[in-house]
Amino acid sequence: MPRLPACPSPAESQWERGNTRLAPPPGLPSLPSGRHKMVAGGTGRLLCSLLVPALFLSGALCLCVAVLLWGVRLWLQARKRRLGPAGRDGQRPVLVAFFHPYCNAGGGGERVLWCAIRTLQKKYKNITCVVYTGDRDATAEEIVEGAFRRFNIKLTHPVKFVFLEKRYLVEASLYPHFTLLGQSLGSVFLGWEALLKCVPDIYIDSMGYAFTLPLFKYLGGCRVGCYVHYPTISTDMLSVVRNQDTRFNNAAFITNNPLISKFKLVYYYLFAFLYGLVGSCSDVVMVNSSWTLNHILSIWRTGACTSVVYPPCDVQTFLDIPLEEEKSTAECSIVSVSQFRPEKDHPLQIRAFAKLLKEKRSGQQPSLKLILIGGCRNQQDEERVNNLKHLCEELGVSGSVMFRVNIPFEELKKHLAEATIGLHTMWNEHFGIGVVECMAAGTVILAHNSGGPKLDIVVPYEGHITGFLAENEDNYAEKMAYILSLAPEKRLEIRENARRSVYRFSDRHFEETFLLSVEPLFK
């Protein structure tokens, strides 16, 4: 009877076969080693079979998108050649376009726009300036006339206006939540409409819509620049959310909920990352103050092409106002010059003024009047003015507060010439043209202790003070009372120092620094 081979012991079997796999615990079924290899191999083949097509499809999709974008760029360039205007000598002029959807407003940003256009028209002969605007309720002639009436700026050559129909896409009221992201994405669609209507050679975003920069650079084939009045998001805004501080853009229901605050902080950080990406597309970056410069450099990281260009202030016109020692009058006026926007914090001005009146001794003379001067861009601004009037009624100061909306330049000049104090309350104001105008006109300025006024404007000049700074309602009321208590000759000394300090914010200085900054765009 033949003998069967002896079965090797488990240890011998593993040793002889070179299999170091440990035996399963007693009671558990053993899976043959071949089956293990089959499962592992099958999984690997499955992953490879999915990964390779996915990579192929992703590459094909990216290629299709790149081809599509390149095709759009070629189509836009052909459209530009076909529709571009011809120059007087047969040479096509250089189209310099400014993206300014609210060019008919009366704020400092609009003054920068018109001064920039006037400066380029004087320097370069073979250019045509274009303004993308959503102000369809006004004609081109009315807009130009409004610039002269409000800012005393007269252009040397005509301007081409491209009227946009989708400006509502950048209205904050359209996005009650995720406003920054909504307005930024809306500006891309508005920019696309602008690009379809006119393809420029040089594109300058003069209103802070940075998300349009890559659109004009990569699809429009333009050299792009921007003038940043205020960063869409700043490190200070991140700090406000991180510290759960209540502000006009950080409501109390958010600050009171740690979970929502954390979510908003993540949203802000993601938006800041996107903002940095689009901003870095700019060939030339101009900022209006040291405060703005610090924030733009920290987010955009464009130090090589970024420069400070102080906004043009019509200081010479205000310097023409005679500066004399005040004579005793029956009334002293406190004047505020700023657009009626939420960040300007007009309620703080009214509450501080009401506190000043309340604490003023009954026999103190002269009487006081607060004059709020500013521009309204839309219905939301007009509603804001109505709310401020209701606040005056609630505080019992409506008889001492005057609102002057969208007034002519000469009337503005008259109010400033008669004022004793110039008032400013915006936290982290990017620059503060209204502050400079008040100082040039001869008022004693009281501004917020932050941003441009703190770093660039209300600073000692030749060792002498040029104005005062405050932060809250009590602080403002105290400083206004202190200024009014000063002897007229002391106030005159402060006013003279302030006047001497504002020459660095003149139109002439702006023209020099602006031309120097945009020169790379014309090479």
Side-chain angles (χ1 to χ4, degrees):
M1 186 173 181
R3 295 178 62 189
L4 295 175
C7 288
S9 66
E12 291 174 335
S13 176
Q14 292 174 9
W15 174 262
E16 291 172 357
R17 297 172 187 172
N19 185 3
T20 59
R21 181 175 60 86
L22 297 177
L28 291 180
S30 174
L31 187 64
S33 61
R35 183 69 59 83
H36 274 291
K37 294 178 180 179
M38 291 175 61
V39 171
T43 303
R45 286 192 296 271
L46 178 62
L47 290 175
C48 289
S49 65
L50 294 176
L51 182 60
V52 173
L55 290 175
F56 176 78
L57 289 175
S58 299
L61 181 61
C62 291
L63 181 62
C64 290
V65 171
V67 171
L68 177 63
L69 293 178
W70 185 254
V72 171
R73 177 181 172 123
L74 293 177
W75 175 71
L76 288 172
Q77 294 301 309
R79 181 184 178 88
K80 172 182 175 180
R81 289 190 295 270
R82 185 173 68 254
L83 301 178
R88 281 169 286 187
D89 55 356
Q91 184 181 3
R92 191 180 70 84
V94 176
L95 289 180
V96 183
F98 291 83
F99 191 76
H100 210 104
Y102 296 91
C103 74
N104 202 32
E110 287 66 57
R111 190 168 212 289
V112 170
L113 169 69
W114 301 118
C115 279
I117 291 176
R118 182 181 63 183
T119 301
L120 292 179
Q121 288 181 342
K122 289 194 295 185
K123 170 69 174 179
Y124 299 99
K125 302 305 178 184
N126 192 36
I127 68 167
T128 297
C129 289
V130 178
V131 177
Y132 298 116
T133 179
D135 294 305
R136 295 186 297 151
D137 56 342
T139 64
E141 293 75 16
E142 289 172 341
I143 294 175
V144 173
E145 173 60 28
F148 176 72
R149 180 171 53 87
R150 295 189 184 109
F151 307 118
N152 199 30
I153 296 175
K154 190 170 184 63
L155 303 179
T156 57
H157 300 290
V159 172
K160 176 183 177 181
F161 290 91
V162 175
F163 291 93
L164 307 176
E165 300 176 3
K166 296 181 175 60
R167 190 178 70 177
Y168 65 89
L169 292 175
V170 297
E171 293 281 357
S173 58
L174 190 63
Y175 311 99
H177 306 291
F178 301 98
T179 308
L180 293 181
L181 183 61
Q183 287 183 290
S184 298
L185 294 179
S187 71
V188 175
F189 289 97
L190 187 64
W192 175 247
E193 179 191 353
L195 191 57
L196 287 179
K197 291 185 175 181
C198 178
V199 183
D201 299 293
I202 298 172
Y203 170 80
I204 299 176
D205 166 39
S206 55
M207 205 173 173
Y209 294 106
F211 280 71
T212 62
L213 294 172
L215 185 69
F216 279 82
K217 181 171 185 175
Y218 298 116
L219 290 185
C222 310
R223 286 156 283 173
V224 299
C226 60
Y227 189 96
V228 183
H229 299 274
Y230 194 89
T232 305
I233 191 167
S234 66
T235 52
D236 284 344
M237 293 170 65
L238 295 173
S239 298
V240 165
V241 178
R242 189 187 306 111
N243 299 331
Q244 295 181 249
D245 294 336
T246 302
R247 301 275 182 174
F248 77 92
N249 57 353
N250 196 40
F253 81 90
I254 295 177
T255 60
N256 295 332
N257 190 315
L259 182 61
I260 298 179
S261 291
K262 294 293 183 186
F263 178 79
K264 183 173 182 178
L265 185 62
V266 172
Y267 159 59
Y268 266 23
Y269 271 111
L270 291 175
F271 183 84
F273 173 74
L274 293 175
Y275 185 57
L277 285 181
V278 298
S280 62
C281 296
S282 188
D283 300 311
V284 167
V285 180
M286 294 167 283
V287 297
N288 64 348
S289 69
S290 301
W291 182 88
T292 308
L293 174 68
N294 295 334
H295 288 283
I296 287 297
L297 291 181
S298 66
I299 297 177
W300 287 13
R301 304 188 184 281
T302 53
C305 60
T306 304
S307 57
V308 176
V309 179
Y310 288 130
C313 306
D314 193 11
V315 295
Q316 190 56 53
T317 299
F318 293 106
L319 290 172
D320 292 338
I321 299 174
L323 194 60
E324 301 172 350
E325 187 173 313
E326 305 162 29
K327 300 179 176 64
S328 58
T329 59
E331 182 178 86
C332 277
S333 62
I334 301 170
V335 173
S336 164
V337 181
S338 61
Q339 285 187 314
F340 289 102
R341 304 204 306 261
E343 63 270 23
K344 298 298 183 179
D345 205 354
H346 289 91
L348 174 57
Q349 299 179 2
I350 295 172
R351 289 194 299 268
F353 180 71
K355 195 175 193 67
L356 174 67
L357 291 183
K358 183 178 179 181
E359 295 178 354
K360 182 171 68 71
R361 296 175 184 174
S362 58
Q364 184 178 351
Q365 293 294 332
S367 63
L368 301 176
K369 180 174 287 293
L370 175 63
I371 304 174
L372 302 180
I373 301 174
C376 282
R377 304 163 297 172
N378 47 40
Q379 184 179 353
Q380 286 76 26
D381 288 353
E382 293 172 359
E383 292 174 357
R384 197 166 292 114
V385 171
N386 291 330
N387 293 335
L388 292 174
K389 291 179 179 178
H390 292 319
L391 177 61
C392 292
E393 294 175 0
E394 293 174 8
L395 297 175
V397 296
S398 56
S400 301
V401 179
M402 179 190 301
F403 291 84
R404 304 298 296 140
V405 181
N406 296 332
I407 63 175
F409 180 78
E410 287 303 318
E411 185 179 346
L412 167 65
K413 187 176 175 180
K414 177 177 179 293
H415 284 299
L416 287 176
E418 298 172 350
T420 301
I421 298 176
L423 191 60
H424 163 275
T425 50
M426 178 177 172
W427 173 72
N428 271 344
E429 171 81 87
H430 34 93
F431 179 70
I433 288 182
V435 175
V436 174
E437 291 176 344
C438 287
M439 293 168 68
T443 69
V444 179
I445 191 67
L446 175 57
H448 199 281
N449 189 27
S450 63
K454 177 182 179 180
L455 297 176
D456 294 315
I457 305 174
V458 190
V459 295
Y461 181 74
E462 296 181 350
H464 301 286
I465 66 170
T466 56
F468 298 88
L469 300 169
E471 295 182 5
N472 53 50
E473 180 180 323
D474 292 336
N475 205 200
Y476 271 98
E478 293 170 2
K479 290 291 178 70
M480 284 190 285
Y482 174 73
I483 294 170
L484 293 171
S485 70
L486 291 173
E489 58 270 17
K490 180 60 177 177
R491 283 201 295 264
L492 178 61
E493 180 183 333
I494 297 172
R495 293 157 63 202
E496 289 174 341
N497 293 334
R499 271 199 162 184
R500 285 192 293 267
S501 73
V502 299
Y503 281 100
R504 57 207 166 102
F505 307 123
S506 64
D507 285 2
R508 180 178 178 181
H509 188 266
F510 169 81
E511 291 176 1
E512 293 172 354
T513 53
F514 179 78
L515 288 175
L516 190 63
S517 298
V518 300
E519 187 177 353
L521 299 178
F522 289 86
K523 291 182 178 178

